[in-house]
């Protein structure tokens, strides 16, 4: 077994790969109108959630951890007018996740406790990456639920099928 850092990093990588795989499996089951459907005005569409994940990765990873410019429009991520094709959504999602995975895979142990500014608070790089993994896991659950609602019996599970465990 490796160091605690290697174990944590491997855990993040495995979790993020699983989130990416399951998100892609859910999105590819849906048509464009289903990806942009929202149950009501207060809820988000899958398109909104993917745009939100992209914005979050940009702000937390690209701007904060990597030192880029923060140009995020968080409110715009949730607007009713967000409407994208499945190809656009998958490209944006994969580009964002590729950046996140490259960052995690090249992260050095000495950066974990480095303090960075995220919006109005100081956090460690560890907090940023760990927060991304949990945040995206939460949104994956929303995407899966929206896919299940719309597809019903035609939904193909992205994990262990019922009565198969």
């Amino acid at each position: 077994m490796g160091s605690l850092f290697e174990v944590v990093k491997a855990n993040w990588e495995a979790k993020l790969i699983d989130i990416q795989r399951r998100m892609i499996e859910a999105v590819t089951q849906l048509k464009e109108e289903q990806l942009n459907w929202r149950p009501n005005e207060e809820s988000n569409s899958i398109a909104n959630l993917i745009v939100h994940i992209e914005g979050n990765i940009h702000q937390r990873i690209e701007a904060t951890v990597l030192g880029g410019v923060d140009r995020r429009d968080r409110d715009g991520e949730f607007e009713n007018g967000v409407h994208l094709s499945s190809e656009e959504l998958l490209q944006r999602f994969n580009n964002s996740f590729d950046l996140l995975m490259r960052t995690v895979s090249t992260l050095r142990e000495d950066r974990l406790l480095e303090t960075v500014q995220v919006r109005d608070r100081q956090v460690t790089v560890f907090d940023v990456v760990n927060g991304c993994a949990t945040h995206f896991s939460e949104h994956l659950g929303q995407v899966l639920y929206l896919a299940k609602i719309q597809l019903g019996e035609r939904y193909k599970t992205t994990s262990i099928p019922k009565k198969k465990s």
Side-chain angles (χ1 to χ4, degrees):
M1 185 185 318
S3 70
L4 178 59
F5 172 69
E6 291 167 343
V7 170
V8 168
K9 196 166 148 175
N11 182 277
W12 282 336
E13 289 171 338
K15 181 68 175 168
L16 293 170
I17 287 168
D18 189 54
I19 291 169
Q20 185 177 25
R21 176 192 62 80
R22 294 182 72 198
M23 185 76 75
I24 291 167
E25 286 181 20
V27 166
T28 57
Q29 293 181 54
L30 299 165
K31 295 182 172 116
E32 183 174 326
E33 61 270 11
Q34 293 170 312
L35 294 167
N36 291 283
W37 173 80
R38 53 177 64 226
N40 57 55
E41 290 300 313
E42 296 303 314
S43 298
N44 294 307
S45 67
I46 291 172
N48 287 116
L49 294 168
I50 289 175
V51 169
H52 173 61
I53 289 169
E54 177 186 45
N56 189 273
I57 289 174
H58 160 72
Q59 182 182 62
R60 304 299 163 99
I61 301 301
E62 188 177 9
T64 302
V65 174
L66 301 178
V69 176
D70 185 2
R71 52 183 161 62
R72 184 178 187 191
D73 175 14
R74 188 176 185 283
D75 290 339
E77 297 163 14
F78 301 109
E79 289 179 357
N80 289 349
V82 171
H83 188 97
L84 298 166
S85 71
S86 57
E87 294 81 21
E88 290 172 302
L89 287 171
L90 286 171
Q91 180 178 20
R92 290 172 77 160
F93 179 77
N94 282 322
N95 288 344
S96 297
F97 255 71
D98 290 347
L99 173 66
L100 177 58
M101 290 301 296
R102 279 192 314 275
T103 302
V104 169
S105 70
T106 60
L107 190 63
R108 297 181 331 266
E109 186 173 5
D110 63 328
R111 291 225 43 217
L112 281 186
L113 297 179
E114 179 183 317
T115 304
V116 293
Q117 181 85 22
V118 175
R119 294 168 64 177
D120 62 346
R121 63 190 211 283
Q122 292 282 318
V123 297
T124 64
V125 170
F126 174 86
D127 292 328
V128 171
V129 176
N130 202 56
C132 284
T134 57
H135 182 227
F136 303 148
S137 186
E138 293 167 2
H139 289 310
L140 171 64
Q142 292 174 306
V143 168
L144 298 177
Y145 187 66
L146 288 169
K148 287 177 185 182
I149 288 173
Q150 295 181 86
L151 293 172
E153 293 177 355
R154 293 171 311 178
Y155 175 77
K156 293 179 192 98
T157 186
T158 64
S159 63
I160 301 167
K162 289 179 182 178
K163 300 181 184 178
K164 300 283 182 179
S165 54

